[in-house]
Amino acid sequence: MAVLVAAVVLLGGLVLVNLLLTGAVIRRLRKTTEESRAGRLPGSPGLGVGAEVPAFSALTVTDTKVTRDDFAGERTLVGFFSTDCPHCLPKAPAFVATARDAAADGVRVLAVVVEGERRPAELLAALTDEVSVVVEGGGAMADAFEVRAFPSFFLVGPDGTVAGSSLKPELPAGAPTPA
């Protein structure tokens, strides 16, 4: 009889653990589904395609004010880099090449350097001559774009919504072709 009681208790415990794990999996699936409905697939760099860029305000290194309203009427390629990111500096030249090609097609280009532990001197040297650069410590633009990884790249359409995003320094997929 004691063996039967022990077996029932053991099976009851296993069923309870199974129930808890199943609940955790269901919660994770719901969260992933909600994110994909919002246009943010797992592994996406931030704001999903079709999402409106929230209001922000920042200054470029040349003291030019940049706001969300500046994106209206033209496509804008925005690249996010971090001074603490080991992959950012090596990808900066590829972003500059993409920026050059995009600018030739009438796309405005902006780079955002989020300052961390290290100083942005090397990143600025790699980017400043070719594109407008915003250096931010607090991350107003990174917060607005919900940047999750560095480097991240977004194409903002003339209507102020995200037209494409990528983790690669190229014109993001889903980018409209020039008219």
Side-chain angles (χ1 to χ4, degrees):
M1 187 70 163
V3 173
L4 185 59
V5 170
V8 169
V9 169
L10 180 62
L11 283 175
L14 287 174
V15 168
L16 183 61
V17 169
N18 187 25
L19 183 63
L20 291 173
L21 290 174
T22 302
V25 168
I26 289 171
R27 276 193 302 276
R28 180 67 182 152
L29 285 173
R30 283 184 182 161
K31 181 180 177 188
T32 302
T33 301
E34 287 171 6
E35 287 180 351
S36 68
R37 284 185 184 152
R40 291 180 302 208
L41 297 174
S44 71
L47 282 179
V49 173
E52 184 176 338
V53 176
F56 66 86
S57 180
L59 284 176
T60 66
V61 293
T62 59
D63 288 329
T64 304
K65 187 175 182 178
V66 178
T67 67
R68 178 191 63 187
D69 297 336
D70 294 330
F71 293 167
E74 61 184 318
R75 295 177 302 146
T76 306
L77 176 61
V78 184
F80 287 89
F81 299 87
S82 171
T83 58
D84 293 338
C85 164
H87 306 290
C88 289
L89 186 59
K91 290 188 178 181
F95 176 72
V96 169
T98 299
R100 217 176 282 127
D101 294 342
D105 289 336
V107 177
R108 180 179 174 186
V109 181
L110 181 67
V112 179
V113 176
V114 178
E115 194 172 14
E117 299 280 325
R118 299 181 187 144
R119 292 285 170 215
E122 288 182 275
L123 272 172
L124 288 175
L127 297 168
T128 305
D129 293 338
E130 301 289 334
V131 298
S132 295
V133 178
V134 170
V135 176
E136 57 182 24
M141 286 189 69
D143 289 345
F145 280 82
E146 299 177 14
V147 174
R148 297 180 195 161
F150 292 100
S152 294
F153 308 94
F154 299 86
L155 182 69
V156 179
D159 60 352
T161 62
V162 175
S165 62
S166 176
L167 294 171
K168 297 180 182 177
E170 54 201 32
L171 212 55
T177 56

